[in-house]
Structures are given as C-alpha cells and as structure tokens.
C-alpha cells in the first residue's frame, strides 16, 4: 500500500505530542542519547526486530552512546503515517533504556 | 594507552592489502552492502560484541541493506592501529554475510 505524505496540520499535531522529534531536511529526526555503547546498541537491537516486522526502515547512525534517526517514506516523497508509526515504535524501544 | 596516528606509509600499505576501505575526510571509510536489512543488522550485531570487547567504537550508519562505517581515533586526531584492528574485525564479521 502506498502511503500518502502527511498534511502539515496532522504532522504538527503529532510533533506537539511527541518528545524530541523535529522535522529536519524534510525528514522526521530524533537524536537519542544512552548511557553507553551497549545500551545504545541494545536499543537498536530491540528496534531492529520491530523495524523488520513493520517492513519500514529508518536511516540511523550510531556513535558510541548516541543514535540519530531520520525517517521518511521514499515512495511518498516525504513523511507518512508509517514514519509516525516507526517513530512511536523507536520511542517505545528507547523508553526502557534512556 | 594512547594510540599514535599512523604514518602515511603504514596506512597506505594496509589500504593496499584491504578490500573496500579508503580514507575519506581523514577517516577510514567503508560501505558494506548486504542482501537485506536483517542481514545488515545481523552484521552490526556480530560486530557490536567485538566492538564492545575492543572498547573502540565506529561511527556507523545503516539504511536498509547498507552499512557505512567511519573509523578514527579522536584522542590521536586521526587513524591509528586501533582503527585498522577494528576495520579487520568488521571485515571478518561481514565476511560471512556479504
């Protein structure tokens, strides 16, 4: 199913309720900071299983205790409902570890 | 132990023997491409355990089946023996999965 790019109003409402997320370069962006590398990678591992299940993949980068995430839906040329879903999954995975 | 930045000759000799590594923006860089997300993340998981053991951490980013890696030693202000060691560990982890 092709997702539609979210309208500005829907996206603003979601951002207002979220923690740490912003739009940067047209993508949904968040930086997570954990205690150390193994906690950061623990987060990524928990998230990876959910990502595979959702079949929607982030751009994410890790340096030591930090993980930065960018979400977009290439087919839609922007941020879709699927990105919000993934953002919420990532927050849930991080929540236990932050 | 503080590592010394490698000399140009030592680094060139290592690069010549290596596969896929280059110096980019003063860091040791390689892009890995796997079959899919779960294989890419499988590589990262195998590597993460070795990284934690070595206590020397990469800058690495993942998008779907791709993992790009940058290695440098901040304390030394450049590429050290420790980065070569980490590069070889990453190649070994990837070797089974590429």
């Amino acid at each position: 199913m092709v997702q539609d790019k979210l309208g500005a109003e829907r996206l603003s409402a979601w951002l207002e309720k979220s923690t740490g997320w912003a739009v940067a370069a047209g993508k949904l962006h968040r930086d997570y900071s954990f205690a150390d590398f193994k906690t950061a990678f623990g987060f990524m591992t928990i998230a990876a299983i959910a990502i595979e299940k959702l079949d929607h993949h982030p751009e994410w980068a890790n340096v030591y205790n930090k993980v930065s995430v960018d979400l977009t839906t290439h087919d839609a040329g922007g941020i879709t409902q699927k990105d919000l879903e993934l953002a919420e999954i990532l927050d849930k995975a991080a929540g236990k570890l932050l």
Side-chain angles (χ1 to χ4, degrees), chain A residues 4 14-15 24 26 32 38 44-45 49 52-53 55-59 64-65 70 73 80 82-85 91 94:
Chain A
D4 287 332
W14 186 89
L15 284 168
Y32 295 97
K38 69 175 187 281
M44 293 180 80
T45 305
I49 295 164
E52 186 63 12
K53 205 168 160 188
D55 194 24
H56 186 59
H57 300 80
E59 300 170 29
Y64 192 57
N65 68 323
D70 285 290
T73 304
T80 66
K82 202 107 180 171
D83 296 306
L84 304 189
E85 241 177 276
D91 281 352

Side-chain angles (χ1 to χ4, degrees), chain A residues 4-5 46 71 77 84 88-90:
Chain A
D4 287 332
K5 196 173 155 176
I46 294 169
L71 307 180
L84 304 189
E88 287 166 10
I89 283 171
L90 294 174

